[in-house]
Amino acid sequence: DIVVAALAGKDGAMTVYVLNRSDKAATVSIAGLAPGAMREMIWNQNGKGQTADLAQTQRDAAGNIEVALPPRSLGAITSIKK
C-alpha cells in the first residue's frame, strides 16, 4: 500500500514523499523529475522510528529515480540542499 505526493516550490525546488503503509518492503519508481542530484531521507528505515538522511541519489537522464522503502516507512526525496 503506497502513497505518493509531490510538492514544487517557486524557485524550482521539488520534494516527493513516498509512504509505504505495508508490512513488506517496496521499491517505488518515480518518473518525470528533472535530471540531477537529490537528497533522500527515510523515516523508520531501521524499524525504530528514527530518521536517516541517506546519501545523495541521482535521477537518470529521463528524470526517473527508484526509492527502496522498508515496511511502514516514509521517504522524502528532495532537491533542497541541507
Side-chain angles (χ1 to χ4, degrees), residues 10-11 27 46 52 57 75:
K10 318 181 248 192
D11 60 356
T27 299
N46 61 4
T57 184

Side-chain angles (χ1 to χ4, degrees), residues 1-76:
D1 202 9
I2 302 292
V3 178
V4 178
L7 305 168
K10 318 181 248 192
D11 60 356
M14 176 171 272
T15 301
V16 179
Y17 297 97
V18 185
L19 175 63
N20 180 5
R21 300 188 307 181
S22 172
D23 290 327
K24 297 179 182 179
T27 299
V28 178
S29 296
I30 301 169
L33 304 171
M38 295 191 86
R39 274 178 56 211
E40 182 177 357
M41 293 161 282
I42 304 287
W43 171 80
N44 206 29
Q45 182 181 26
N46 61 4
K48 296 181 181 180
Q50 299 172 336
T51 303
D53 193 348
L54 306 178
Q56 283 193 348
T57 184
Q58 292 288 328
R59 295 166 275 188
D60 66 18
N64 303 316
I65 192 169
E66 285 198 351
V67 180
L69 292 169
R72 300 201 175 274
S73 64
L74 173 68

